[in-house]
Amino acid sequence: MEGIENIKAAREILKCSIEKSRELGVEISNRCWRLESCEQRLDFLAGALRNLACKCTLYKMSGHDVDRVIGPAASVVKIFDVICGLENSLSTDDPSDDISAYVTTLKWMEEALSLLTDNCKLVVSWLETSSFNSSVAESWYVVNVNKCLSILRELQATEEHFRAKGGPLTVALDKVEVELASLLKGIAPLSLPLPDVIQNVQAIIDRLAANHRLDRCMSIYVEVRRSNVRKAVEELDLDYLEEISFTEFDSVLSVEPHIDLWAKHLEFAVKYLLDTEHRLCIEVFRKAAFKERCMDCFAKIAVQSGIHSFIKFGNTITKGKKEAIKLLKLLEMFAALNKLRSNFNRLFSGRACGEIQTQTRDLVKRVVNGTCEIFWELSLQVELQRPTSPPVDGSVPRLVNFVTEYCNQLLEDEYWSTLVQVVEIHQGWNNENFGKELLVNEMQNIVTVIGLNLETWTKRYEDVPLSYFFLMNNHWYLFKYTRGTKLGEIMGHEWITGHEEYMEYYETHFLKESWGKLPSLLSEEGLVLFPGGRAIDRQLVKKRLKEFTESFDEIYKKQSSWELCDKGLRWRVCQNVLHVVVPSYINYLEKYMPSIEFEVASTTDQHIKYTAKTLVNMITCLFEPKVGNYGSSTKCTELSGKLNNSFVTNQLSSTPAAA
């Protein structure tokens, strides 16, 4: 079966070859007939001119007029013979086989046609204006001269026929246009072609321009290169540039990934794709006569490849609502644009790229203005949060956490250097003085406002211990998470240590106003019935133990939902609570309840609800995020274990039960 299919395929190929051979035979036959006709007329022209020369000599006519006609007339014959040969080459040769040779042949054809036209005009003019003696102006002379003039006028129209639609020269130029498109299409994006390819393209453009086809040539160049660049751009999947509208997103966070892609894709498009196209344009159209048109071509390629989509996307982001996170994204956008500034200035200079220049400058202006508007309003935005309520669990407000991390991020070299540059540009536009201290002062203002907010928020707590807990928590956070950071450097050492001191101050008051009241409930006053005696008022002992337990439960239940910002702070506070509560509890049990088992709560005496170890376990599980009821949080295991090792061993090893 395969052999039969091969035979059928071969038969089809042979049929096509035979058909093409027939068509070529007809074409050659037609050309031969035309060439034979031309040769006959040329032979007649040559013979007639020689006969005229002989007759003029015989009748002693003016030799000067005859001599100046014979030379150019003989050249006409030779030139037309050359044209016929060139026409044959142009019609049968394939430009793609050797485009350089084909263009050279085309150039020779143009020169030969021009020379033929000029010589024909010259000979016709001389024959028409030559003065002859009327006595010899016989009929043979008139007939031959008129016949020569007819042939010469017909030859004079050869160039016009060749350049007419469907004429040999027009057909050859059409072939060259097709080859130009093929060569340009073969030049891959991001790479410049070999010199011989550039030379061939230049040669084609020269020939097309010489034949008044420069506009057509430019159109072909733009269409092919635009198509190539567009395909490369489409591989990046840039649909997001057109899909996003500022009315469609509430926060820049929702389009943050697109902004990151925008910066990368813009750099790729400008620094690599368009830069290569710019260099290619300059190489191809390096002649001074093509310089202005060269930039026209590049501008069209840049526009049609989608540069306006990048600018439009950037403008859309600047129109979104003002928010702190947007400031960081605008700084990233400015950094991306500034990184490409020299590329933009080099690629899009000149009148042809005027629209791109204008739109780019407008985008930079929007980014700079938007950045400065948000930055100078940051402290105000923080202040506007002051009327809000503080966290019910005494934790660090999200605003404090956000502002601290945000300021530290803004002070990173990547953002800070860009912010300095942006503000300096903005101040220059407004003819205002600039200094880095302006930015430093504003950063300090932002943090200062946070402190004022804390003072206002703490007054809204009705529970005094919770207000102290809140301040202790936040001062520790500001101390811990600004120390050793750029924000800490700006705020200064005294500011940082001040927060540490405030934390210790409010920690002391927190313990005093809450857990510090428990030991007094286990007072030993009045427990001994008789002076110097050993009798104990058991009911009073139990009563005070009950009061202690109830107060402990009340405090514990309330503070179980409170949250400390840092593991180290939780360790510290829990240790202090343990030192305040547990030793007095152990001492009370040792003295007044020696008959009760210590490790396990008594099943017979309901006044002892907790053992000392139970208290330790409960306290060490306090202040964890999402703490469960009465120390049931699974997150406190690690801290509880560490506290037990350092506290329980020391405090409980001397108890009767342990002994």
Side-chain angles (χ1 to χ4, degrees):
M1 289 296 293
E2 185 176 354
I4 294 174
E5 292 298 324
N6 290 337
I7 292 172
K8 288 181 178 180
R11 184 179 65 182
E12 291 298 321
I13 293 173
L14 287 173
K15 286 174 65 178
C16 292
S17 298
I18 292 171
E19 185 63 30
K20 289 182 178 179
S21 297
R22 287 174 180 171
E23 293 176 356
L24 183 60
V26 172
E27 178 66 19
I28 292 174
S29 177
N30 292 336
R31 290 184 179 276
C32 288
W33 175 84
R34 195 170 68 200
L35 289 174
E36 289 174 359
S37 175
C38 290
E39 286 179 1
Q40 291 174 3
R41 285 179 289 170
L42 288 172
D43 289 342
F44 171 80
L45 178 62
L49 290 171
R50 284 194 298 271
N51 191 25
L52 281 173
C54 291
K55 292 288 186 178
C56 289
T57 303
L58 179 62
Y59 291 106
K60 298 180 180 180
M61 296 173 63
S62 174
H64 174 72
D65 290 333
V66 174
D67 291 341
R68 68 182 184 181
V69 172
I70 297 302
S75 298
V76 168
V77 176
K78 294 178 181 179
I79 293 170
F80 191 81
D81 187 47
V82 171
I83 289 174
C84 291
L86 294 174
E87 179 189 1
N88 183 58
S89 296
L90 292 176
S91 61
T92 57
D93 293 349
D94 187 347
S96 61
D97 292 339
D98 189 348
I99 184 59
S100 178
Y102 193 88
V103 170
T104 300
T105 302
L106 183 59
K107 183 179 180 181
W108 290 344
M109 169 67 83
E110 296 171 29
E111 293 173 348
L113 288 171
S114 179
L115 189 59
L116 175 66
T117 301
D118 292 341
N119 277 273
C120 285
K121 288 180 179 179
L122 184 62
V123 175
V124 168
S125 175
W126 283 343
L127 284 177
E128 289 177 340
T129 59
S130 293
S131 57
F132 294 96
N133 193 324
S134 59
S135 62
V136 297
E138 300 175 357
S139 59
W140 63 267
Y141 169 79
V142 175
V143 170
N144 284 324
V145 168
N146 288 336
K147 207 164 187 179
C148 287
L149 286 171
S150 177
I151 294 172
L152 288 168
R153 290 192 180 101
E154 186 176 346
L155 291 176
Q156 184 178 330
T158 300
E159 183 174 9
E160 182 180 350
H161 295 323
F162 271 52
R163 292 186 180 278
K165 185 176 181 180
L169 186 60
T170 301
V171 172
L173 289 170
D174 290 342
K175 289 182 180 180
V176 169
E177 284 186 358
V178 173
E179 186 60 20
L180 173 64
S182 178
L183 287 174
L184 292 173
K185 190 174 183 179
I187 301 174
L190 302 174
S191 62
L192 289 176
L194 297 174
D196 59 334
V197 176
I198 291 287
Q199 291 171 3
N200 289 336
V201 171
Q202 289 172 336
I204 292 175
I205 292 174
D206 285 343
R207 292 275 43 84
L208 293 174
N211 287 276
H212 310 291
R213 293 194 177 201
L214 183 58
D215 287 340
R216 173 63 183 158
C217 170
M218 296 293 185
S219 297
I220 292 172
Y221 185 92
V222 171
E223 177 58 29
V224 174
R225 296 312 303 167
R226 177 207 65 81
S227 178
N228 278 20
V229 173
R230 193 66 189 177
K231 287 179 181 177
V233 170
E234 287 174 353
E235 292 179 1
L236 300 176
D237 190 15
L238 301 177
D239 292 343
Y240 68 90
L241 294 178
E242 300 292 344
E243 292 174 355
I244 294 178
S245 169
F246 76 93
T247 59
E248 296 175 356
F249 62 92
D250 296 328
S251 171
V252 75
L253 286 173
S254 62
V255 294
E256 185 176 6
H258 295 320
I259 298 175
D260 297 336
L261 284 176
W262 173 85
K264 295 177 182 177
H265 290 161
L266 178 62
E267 179 177 3
F268 175 77
V270 172
K271 202 170 183 178
Y272 300 99
L273 273 178
L274 294 180
D275 182 81
T276 302
E277 291 303 315
H278 185 264
R279 286 189 289 157
L280 180 62
C281 270
I282 292 175
E283 283 290 323
V284 170
F285 302 105
R286 63 171 57 182
K287 283 190 175 182
F290 300 150
K291 187 175 181 180
E292 185 174 347
R293 302 298 297 275
C294 165
M295 289 299 99
D296 287 340
C297 282
F298 174 72
K300 291 177 181 177
I301 292 170
V303 170
Q304 295 179 31
S305 64
I307 188 66
H308 285 320
S309 297
F310 285 99
I311 298 174
K312 177 184 176 183
F313 177 87
N315 285 328
T316 300
I317 298 302
T318 63
K319 295 175 183 177
K321 68 179 183 180
K322 299 176 185 178
E323 51 185 340
I325 191 64
K326 181 181 173 182
L327 172 60
L328 300 178
K329 306 316 293 183
L330 289 177
L331 288 174
E332 292 174 9
M333 290 174 64
F334 178 86
L337 291 169
N338 191 53
K339 184 179 181 181
L340 298 172
R341 181 175 57 178
S342 60
N343 300 84
F344 269 89
N345 292 339
R346 178 171 52 84
L347 297 181
F348 305 121
S349 61
R351 178 190 56 79
C353 298
E355 184 180 0
I356 297 176
Q357 296 170 21
T358 300
Q359 292 187 358
T360 305
R361 283 194 296 265
D362 183 62
L363 174 58
V364 172
K365 187 175 181 179
R366 287 175 178 271
V367 171
V368 169
N369 289 337
T371 300
C372 291
E373 286 176 7
I374 296 174
F375 177 73
W376 294 118
E377 291 182 5
L378 283 176
S379 59
L380 176 61
Q381 293 300 321
V382 174
E383 183 179 348
L384 290 175
Q385 301 301 312
R386 195 170 297 169
T388 60
S389 300
V392 295
D393 57 2
S395 60
V396 176
R398 293 181 60 186
L399 180 65
V400 175
N401 177 273
F402 173 79
V403 170
T404 304
E405 293 184 359
Y406 180 83
C407 289
N408 273 321
Q409 187 175 8
L410 192 58
L411 287 166
E412 291 177 1
D413 292 339
E414 176 186 358
Y415 290 112
W416 185 249
S417 59
T418 305
L419 179 62
V420 170
Q421 188 176 4
V422 169
V423 174
E424 184 175 8
I425 291 172
H426 189 264
Q427 295 290 99
W429 288 348
N430 293 283
N431 297 317
E432 297 177 356
N433 294 329
F434 170 77
K436 288 186 180 180
E437 63 276 3
L438 291 174
L439 302 181
V440 173
N441 291 340
E442 185 60 24
M443 296 296 290
Q444 292 173 336
N445 288 340
I446 296 170
V447 179
T448 300
V449 172
I450 280 291
L452 296 175
N453 284 8
L454 291 175
E455 293 178 7
T456 301
W457 288 332
T458 191
K459 295 175 182 178
R460 295 198 174 99
Y461 287 113
E462 295 181 358
D463 187 273
V464 174
L466 180 56
S467 68
Y468 291 139
F469 181 89
F470 173 76
L471 290 172
M472 172 189 69
N473 204 1
N474 281 272
H475 282 295
W476 174 264
Y477 178 86
L478 292 174
F479 162 72
K480 177 73 179 290
Y481 292 100
T482 59
R483 184 179 54 178
T485 66
K486 295 290 183 66
L487 181 60
E489 292 178 12
I490 285 180
M491 299 308 297
H493 177 72
E494 292 185 2
W495 182 87
I496 293 176
T497 55
H499 281 292
E500 184 180 23
E501 293 171 358
Y502 276 123
M503 183 278 298
E504 294 173 351
Y505 173 81
Y506 289 116
E507 179 188 33
T508 301
H509 281 71
F510 161 70
L511 293 172
K512 180 180 179 181
E513 293 296 326
S514 56
W515 302 99
K517 296 179 179 181
L518 290 179
S520 63
L521 298 177
L522 297 176
S523 171
E524 298 181 19
E525 183 179 354
L527 294 181
V528 179
L529 292 177
F530 305 104
R534 299 180 57 84
I536 303 297
D537 188 341
R538 304 290 297 177
Q539 294 300 320
L540 184 57
V541 168
K542 292 179 180 180
K543 178 182 178 184
R544 290 180 178 174
L545 186 61
K546 181 180 179 183
E547 290 175 350
F548 173 91
T549 302
E550 290 176 348
S551 296
F552 177 87
D553 285 346
E554 181 182 355
I555 296 173
Y556 189 85
K557 183 178 180 180
K558 182 187 296 182
Q559 296 190 13
S560 290
S561 61
W562 296 1
E563 180 181 327
L564 289 175
C565 64
D566 176 74
K567 183 184 293 186
L569 181 60
R570 289 196 295 273
W571 169 285
R572 176 189 175 113
V573 173
C574 288
Q575 282 276 22
N576 288 333
V577 172
L578 287 173
H579 282 291
V580 169
V581 176
V582 177
S584 59
Y585 186 70
I586 293 174
N587 183 62
Y588 192 84
L589 293 180
E590 284 179 348
K591 285 186 177 182
Y592 303 108
M593 308 291 287
S595 62
I596 304 299
E597 284 191 28
F598 186 76
E599 290 296 335
V600 181
S602 172
T603 57
T604 59
D605 196 332
Q606 298 301 317
H607 295 285
I608 301 179
K609 186 176 182 180
Y610 304 117
T611 65
K613 188 173 183 180
T614 302
L615 289 183
V616 171
N617 288 336
M618 293 173 66
I619 291 172
T620 54
C621 288
L622 280 172
F623 314 129
E624 285 276 355
K626 300 180 181 179
V627 174
N629 291 332
Y630 291 80
S632 63
S633 170
T634 58
K635 294 185 178 181
C636 68
T637 305
E638 181 183 355
L639 183 61
S640 175
K642 291 181 179 179
L643 285 171
N644 276 319
N645 289 335
S646 63
F647 181 84
V648 177
T649 302
N650 295 330
Q651 297 294 327
L652 304 185
S653 59
S654 60
T655 62

